[in-house]
Amino acid sequence: MPVDDPAGRADRRFRRSGGGARVPPQVRLSLLGGFTLTADGSECELPKRARLLLSLLALKPPRLRRSDAARQLAPHLEPAGARANLRKALARLRATRLPLIEADRVWLGLHPGVAVDAREAEALAARLSDRSQPLPENPRHELLTRKLLPDWDDGWADRARTGMQGRFLRALDVYARRLDEEDHPYRALCVAQEVWDADPLHESTVVVMVELHLGSGNVGQVLQVYGAFERELAGFGSVPTKALRDLVAPLLAGRKRS
């Protein structure tokens, strides 16, 4: 699919190597924790519609129909208005003279040279969850605790954020358990705590923490974790699931008898 820069303007942004060859800039798109676009380490400013389009394409690999992109970017507009909005977004991206987009008459896609932190995090989550693969030595697991585009309220961004956060937190639960199984209980607890801090209502992480403390005989810590989670849920008019209540029930009974 050809790069959507028919005038060749992106080519003029390429650096020249010592041998005179033109080297494309290193473009990086960060979506976790907020939107940032950099080229060779320098931040690039973009208007909102261009940021929206670039993020949408980064989250819809390998490509997206133009009609679908137009509709998702501007669901409040009639089709003609949505198409015009898309054309303006493409024009602003082309104006950067950076290799950002590939396009033809039907399809749009992110240029393969753009590195995306969310895609890297997805790959890491898959690896941490796959017990057939050895754990990486020093994974940047903190990436998986960051929310995708946290301040964006567009429908497609909200759906992507919810799904991604669920996948990432489940992967971190598995990672914590695997660390404990490989005799790294302290690191396992640190990971679980980071996940719980990122989402205080994520019960599966509370279960991991309870199991880790039970495994080391720290009954007091189990009760503290469970009590804190119970109070957190009470603020939303909810209670822990029966499975978690059953897990700590013997300890709660013992506390009452004492």
Side-chain angles (χ1 to χ4, degrees):
M1 194 162 51
V3 176
D4 189 24
D5 188 10
R9 288 172 294 182
D11 195 51
R12 294 199 292 271
R13 282 291 296 269
F14 289 12
R15 308 184 310 278
R16 288 191 177 274
S17 67
R22 285 174 293 191
V23 181
Q26 294 182 346
V27 181
R28 182 166 186 81
L29 178 60
S30 299
L31 304 178
L32 300 177
F35 180 99
T36 306
L37 176 69
T38 60
D40 290 336
S42 297
E43 188 169 346
C44 305
E45 296 293 335
L46 289 175
K48 181 178 180 180
R49 61 164 58 96
R51 294 198 304 269
L52 289 170
L53 177 57
L54 203 59
S55 302
L56 178 63
L57 295 178
L59 297 172
K60 300 287 186 179
R63 56 184 185 170
L64 189 65
R65 285 184 177 274
R66 281 179 177 263
S67 56
D68 292 336
R71 176 178 50 80
Q72 293 192 54
L73 288 175
H76 58 290
L77 297 178
E78 294 295 326
R83 289 193 297 270
N85 180 72
L86 176 62
R87 288 194 296 272
K88 291 176 182 177
L90 284 169
R92 296 308 297 265
L93 291 176
R94 288 196 296 269
T96 66
R97 302 182 182 180
L98 292 170
L100 299 174
I101 300 292
E102 290 188 329
D104 58 27
R105 292 181 178 274
V106 178
W107 300 98
L108 296 172
L110 193 71
H111 191 284
V114 180
V116 184
D117 66 343
R119 293 183 180 181
E120 295 166 354
E122 289 276 19
L124 175 60
R127 181 172 179 183
L128 295 180
S129 300
D130 186 353
R131 290 180 175 273
S132 69
Q133 296 191 52
L135 286 175
E137 188 169 340
N138 292 299
R140 295 181 58 207
H141 69 271
E142 68 278 359
L143 274 178
L144 306 185
T145 64
R146 299 175 187 169
K147 288 187 178 180
L148 176 77
L149 300 170
D151 299 326
W152 292 21
D153 57 4
D154 303 83
W156 60 267
D158 187 52
R159 291 188 295 273
R161 178 167 51 246
T162 299
M164 187 174 288
Q165 184 176 14
R167 293 190 297 275
F168 287 0
L169 296 188
R170 284 194 295 274
L172 287 170
D173 287 345
V174 174
Y175 179 45
R177 284 196 167 100
R178 293 182 68 185
L179 285 171
D180 187 56
E181 292 163 6
E182 296 187 13
D183 202 24
H184 300 293
Y186 177 76
R187 288 175 61 192
L189 276 170
C190 288
V191 170
Q193 184 66 57
E194 288 176 45
V195 180
W196 196 21
D197 290 342
D199 186 352
L201 302 180
H202 197 242
E203 182 168 310
S204 66
T205 301
V206 176
V207 172
V208 171
M209 295 188 71
V210 166
E211 291 175 347
L212 291 174
H213 285 306
L214 282 174
S216 57
N218 292 325
V219 174
Q221 288 294 315
V222 171
L223 295 176
Q224 286 186 35
V225 168
Y226 179 79
F229 182 61
E230 193 176 40
R231 291 189 295 274
E232 191 78 42
L233 287 181
F236 293 88
S238 186
V239 296
T241 63
K242 184 177 183 302
L244 178 55
R245 296 200 306 271
D246 289 346
L247 184 62
V248 300
L251 302 180
L252 292 174
R255 182 178 63 178
K256 290 178 181 177
R257 285 196 298 271
S258 63

